[in-house]
Amino acid sequence: MTRVTRRALLRTVNLVPLVALGSFAWGQGTRREPIRIGCTLPLTGPFADTGVWVQRGYEFWAEDVNARGGLLGRPVEVRILDDASSVERATSLLERLITVDRVDLILGGYPGTSAAAQMLVAERYRKVYISMGGHMASFSRGFKYSFGAPPLMGEWWYNGVWKWLGTIRPADRPMRAAAITLNNAIGQAVRQNMLEGLKRLGIPLVMDELYTLPLPSAEPLVQKAKATGADLFIANGFFGDGVQTVRAMKALNYNPKLFLQGVGSLIPEWVKELGPDGNYVVSGTAIHHRVPNPGMIRLVRAAKQRLGFDEPPQYFLFGYAWAQALEKAVEGSKSLKDDDLVAYLRANTIETIAGKLRFDERGLPEPYEYATQVINGKVELIWPVSARTATPIYPKPPWK
Amino acid sequence: MESLLQAILSGLFVGSILALLSAGFGLVWGATGTINISHTAFSVAAAYLAYWLTSFGLWGFFSSLIAAPLLAFALGVLTYRSIVRPAAANVGELGLVTLVSTLGIGVALENLLAAIWGPGPRVLSLPISTEAIRVLDVSVPTSTLLAASFAWLGLIVLWFFLYKTYTGKAVRAVWQDPVGAALYGIDRDRVTDVAFGVATATAAVAGVAMALIYAFSPATYIEWLIWAFLIVIVGGVGSPLGTFISGLLVGVISTVVGLWAPFSWLPVILFAFLIGVVLWRPTGLFRI
């Protein structure tokens, strides 16, 4: 060996410990760097009333998972941008989170129109996107990276209600139905489920009106429904038009045996603002805090302790469930690579507060079948029977 | 027959409330050339004030009918003097500039309300809110009747102001002929300040009335603005009588159309009506 070569070799050998030490230090930093998870939510604008609950669900999950040691040994950091209830902002901000901020993972947005649009962005950039989706149409586009965990599926909305009605003696069931539907994607999705359910039970639909917002007055619609003699009244709408409908029903003394309301009756304000007039309305849901799914009891207790809820609102649970599904994918695949997450989710059943979820080729789990009824100011679960929290009140008592 | 009578009655009551909501919007547009996007944001702010005061009892609700317009008048004058007039001072496109600046005010007010109250919807409930007065087969919810009463009162006060007071006549003079009014010694700046303040006060009363019937949240002002635009354009910008008649017409069309046509056709029918009126009488049904 020449002198130069020996000197070079010695220098190289001396460098090895430094490089090793450097690598060790680098590895330590990488392992402790937070996993950055980005998403957008409507924190202002017309959908903010629900968006803030999803935000709280995400943030609570992040605190929870960090208290348990984080994901893959690393803390998580959730970055939530306000899309101001605009679909355009939701998509452009999500794109920015992915391409500029280079977040490691993304979470789903709200409402369904924004989520459906963001699914496109997620697919383009091959990022796993776990959300409510935008009803069946959004999951029928052949996307590989989107999952509903659970999805907020209008096409499944009243599944539990039809199952429950099927247990009532035919002679006691409603004889005819009248429906009013908010003419947007959500209303139409719920209406689809309504049509299928009524057909299955053999209940004729004698009125089927669509309306748009702003609704100047619900009285003409309710008056028309009352005039048909329908004893099942279905209002496939949101909160504001739902309130107008209830008040019109009371003013016109319309007393159907059963009143179904779309999604407005599930937000806390329904009970808080309407008081006793909000009672007895029946609806569906995709998740409920009294269903003893894995982790639900612990979450409810923790939420009560730290946030003061007696009953966690629906959208808080949704936010937590979507984030938890992402957590299961990461922990299960031991990876942050989106293709690994997709492979894991397609091949395995995950357990979250939303139940056991096994995804099909569309990214959807099995249809859920829940029914709720507002009784004495609480949203009680009336179906399935095994998880029932109160006996349903049927027929609906007349207005006082 | 009862259905038709019910629908017409409902439409007249709802239309009166929408007319008051729109009257101030048209007044400002006519008198100052300002398209005030924040008009209904002040209505929503008044709704929140009424909601808060009502939590103290019924007297709280009725006190909001005094507090809301007074506060709104002051805020309206301040807004006009400090933001709208300076923004419009040296521009050609008055309508566009004022539209943009008042849009900013509307958005700011929306976000302020959301910061204080949160974004969730509210419902103003009084003990009588869900009762109804029934005569034969016709029912009128008491909340609608109460709201319509406030609307009529507001419209009468506005009419009295515009036609029976010196300042109101000055507003109309500036509206019709700014140069001529100046020659008569009318201080245009002072008159337009008052016009903006009065308009905002009517928006506040309308907001309290609307809150009796509709759920509201900080973002609701955009929905209410659609009604204001429709009614003012049909009735004639700046015409209180036109706004009143137009409001009633829009209210009745909204409630009656469902008797004979699918309710989903309502927006088409309403805006076809708007287009028809504009083609027939481009300045609206009435002039000031």
Side-chain angles (χ1 to χ4, degrees), chain A residues 230-357:
Chain A
D231 51 359
L232 166 55
F233 184 45
I234 307 168
N236 300 318
F238 289 169
F239 176 83
D241 42 319
V243 167
Q244 285 179 261
T245 304
V246 166
R247 284 181 160 182
M249 287 173 71
K250 188 170 183 184
L252 297 171
N253 201 26
Y254 178 34
N255 292 293
K257 277 181 179 176
L258 183 60
F259 172 42
L260 303 192
Q261 205 278 334
V263 298
S265 52
L266 295 177
I267 66 171
E269 283 79 6
W270 180 269
V271 159
K272 179 173 165 253
E273 302 292 335
L274 269 180
D277 289 333
N279 279 333
Y280 313 121
V281 64
V282 173
S283 187
T285 187
I287 200 167
H288 195 278
H289 68 279
R290 298 287 283 274
V291 177
N293 287 329
M296 181 65 86
I297 296 170
R298 187 191 67 80
L299 172 65
V300 170
R301 205 177 295 136
K304 181 168 185 172
Q305 217 169 3
R306 280 150 56 189
L307 299 175
F309 300 144
D310 275 327
E311 299 180 352
Q314 290 275 311
Y315 286 93
F316 172 84
L317 296 176
F318 281 129
Y320 191 96
W322 298 330
Q324 194 184 23
L326 186 65
E327 173 195 346
K328 296 291 179 176
V330 168
E331 292 290 0
S333 63
K334 299 276 182 274
S335 170
L336 292 179
K337 291 187 184 152
D338 293 275
D339 285 327
D340 292 342
L341 305 185
V342 168
Y344 183 81
L345 288 172
R346 292 235 180 266
N348 293 276
T349 300
I350 61 171
E351 285 191 11
T352 70
I353 58 164
K356 287 187 182 173
L357 306 176

Side-chain angles (χ1 to χ4, degrees), chain A residues 19-293:
Chain A
V19 170
L21 194 63
S23 298
F24 176 74
W26 171 256
Q28 286 292 90
T30 306
R31 275 202 293 277
R32 295 310 304 163
E33 249 177 50
I35 294 173
R36 293 176 315 133
I37 307 176
C39 71
T40 81
L41 286 171
L43 305 180
T44 53
F47 298 115
D49 52 347
T50 334
V52 294
W53 286 113
V54 178
Q55 176 193 27
R56 286 171 192 150
Y58 284 163
E59 288 169 348
F60 196 87
W61 168 81
E63 282 170 25
D64 203 24
V65 84
N66 284 338
R68 288 185 273 120
L71 278 187
L72 303 179
R74 290 165 64 182
V76 304
E77 195 180 273
V78 178
R79 187 159 178 235
I80 303 173
L81 299 182
D82 178 15
D83 59 38
S85 304
S86 154
V87 174
E88 290 72 28
R89 272 181 72 87
T91 51
S92 63
L93 285 174
L94 186 68
E95 197 155 10
R96 192 187 98 188
L97 283 166
I98 295 169
T99 59
V100 175
D101 299 351
R102 297 202 172 272
V103 293
D104 299 295
L105 300 167
I106 58 174
L107 276 169
Y110 179 84
T113 41
S114 292
Q118 288 188 333
M119 283 161 82
L120 273 161
V121 174
E123 196 72 13
R124 189 186 313 141
Y125 291 101
R126 298 182 181 163
K127 301 293 292 180
V128 163
Y129 185 80
I130 297 178
S131 74
M132 58 183 288
H135 308 285
M136 191 58 77
S138 66
F139 287 101
S140 304
R141 296 180 284 184
F143 288 168
K144 182 182 158 192
Y145 291 85
S146 289
F147 298 86
L152 205 60
M153 194 69 84
E155 290 87 348
W156 300 348
W157 198 246
Y158 296 133
N159 281 354
V161 177
W162 308 131
K163 283 277 167 87
W164 164 60
L165 266 183
T167 63
I168 296 173
R169 284 188 326 143
D172 294 334
R173 287 180 203 162
M175 303 299 290
R176 59 176 70 85
I180 60 174
T181 302
L182 177 58
N183 195 11
N184 65 3
I186 300 163
Q188 287 285 9
V190 176
R191 181 174 168 271
Q192 265 317 113
N193 180 273
M194 174 196 78
L195 293 173
E196 287 164 13
L198 290 175
K199 190 176 176 187
R200 223 178 301 133
L201 288 171
I203 299 174
L205 183 62
V206 296
M207 175 183 133
D208 186 14
E209 289 277 6
L210 299 171
Y211 63 91
T212 53
L213 295 180
L215 180 63
S217 173
E219 284 168 43
L221 290 164
V222 171
Q223 187 184 11
K224 215 170 176 182
K226 187 182 175 187
T228 64
D231 51 359
L232 166 55
F233 184 45
I234 307 168
N236 300 318
F238 289 169
F239 176 83
D241 42 319
V243 167
Q244 285 179 261
T245 304
V246 166
R247 284 181 160 182
M249 287 173 71
K250 188 170 183 184
L252 297 171
N253 201 26
Y254 178 34
N255 292 293
K257 277 181 179 176
L258 183 60
F259 172 42
L260 303 192
Q261 205 278 334
V263 298
S265 52
L266 295 177
I267 66 171
E269 283 79 6
W270 180 269
V271 159
K272 179 173 165 253
E273 302 292 335
L274 269 180
D277 289 333
N279 279 333
Y280 313 121
V281 64
V282 173
S283 187
T285 187
I287 200 167
H288 195 278
H289 68 279
R290 298 287 283 274
V291 177
N293 287 329

Side-chain angles (χ1 to χ4, degrees), chain B residues 247-275:
Chain B
L248 294 182
L249 279 172
V250 165
V252 170
I253 291 172
S254 300
T255 50
V256 164
V257 77
L259 294 177
W260 297 299
F263 208 80
S264 53
W265 291 8
L266 175 61
V268 174
I269 292 169
L270 270 178
F271 283 91
F273 172 65
L274 165 71
I275 291 165

Side-chain angles (χ1 to χ4, degrees), chain B residues 6-282:
Chain B
Q6 177 75 63
I8 290 172
L9 261 181
S10 296
L12 289 173
F13 288 135
V14 166
S16 317
I17 300 157
L18 295 177
L20 180 65
L21 182 72
S22 314
F25 182 72
L27 171 65
V28 158
W29 192 346
T32 70
T34 303
I35 302 175
N36 182 11
I37 303 294
S38 65
H39 180 81
T40 47
F42 285 101
S43 301
V44 172
Y48 274 104
L49 179 64
Y51 180 88
W52 175 61
L53 287 172
T54 305
S55 65
F56 298 108
L58 203 55
W59 68 266
F61 169 73
F62 286 106
S63 67
S64 71
L65 287 167
I66 299 165
L70 287 175
L71 269 170
F73 178 87
L75 283 171
V77 171
L78 183 66
T79 303
Y80 186 70
R81 273 194 189 164
S82 58
I83 300 173
V84 179
R85 188 190 293 144
N90 295 308
V91 293
E93 286 289 339
L94 181 65
L96 180 63
V97 165
T98 55
L99 191 150
V100 171
S101 59
T102 55
L103 174 62
I105 297 167
V107 170
L109 196 46
E110 176 194 350
N111 281 278
L112 178 64
L113 290 171
I116 298 169
W117 293 97
R122 308 283 169 153
V123 176
L124 180 54
S125 292
L126 302 178
I128 54 161
S129 275
T130 52
E131 302 303 320
I133 295 171
R134 293 191 182 95
V135 178
L136 300 173
D137 281 334
V138 174
S139 294
V140 179
T142 43
S143 53
T144 305
L145 192 56
L146 195 59
S149 307
F150 297 149
W152 294 327
L153 185 62
L155 287 165
I156 289 169
V157 168
L158 182 63
W159 175 84
F160 187 86
F161 166 75
L162 286 173
Y163 289 89
K164 298 293 179 188
T165 66
Y166 174 80
T167 309
K169 289 176 186 175
V171 167
R172 288 168 51 226
V174 164
W175 198 331
Q176 289 169 358
D177 186 352
V179 174
L183 287 172
Y184 267 94
I186 293 173
D187 181 343
R188 187 186 173 173
D189 283 350
R190 186 181 154 268
V191 163
T192 48
D193 284 351
V194 169
F196 208 94
V198 167
T200 313
T202 62
V205 176
V208 175
M210 295 283 279
L212 283 170
I213 312 177
Y214 302 110
F216 57 93
S217 69
T220 301
Y221 81 100
I222 295 288
E223 272 183 31
W224 292 359
L225 193 64
I226 296 171
W227 292 117
F229 259 114
L230 171 66
I231 289 166
V232 162
I233 290 170
V234 167
V237 174
S239 166
L241 178 64
T243 304
F244 179 63
I245 300 293
S246 170
L248 294 182
L249 279 172
V250 165
V252 170
I253 291 172
S254 300
T255 50
V256 164
V257 77
L259 294 177
W260 297 299
F263 208 80
S264 53
W265 291 8
L266 175 61
V268 174
I269 292 169
L270 270 178
F271 283 91
F273 172 65
L274 165 71
I275 291 165
V277 167
V278 166
L279 287 174
W280 171 49
R281 291 173 76 93

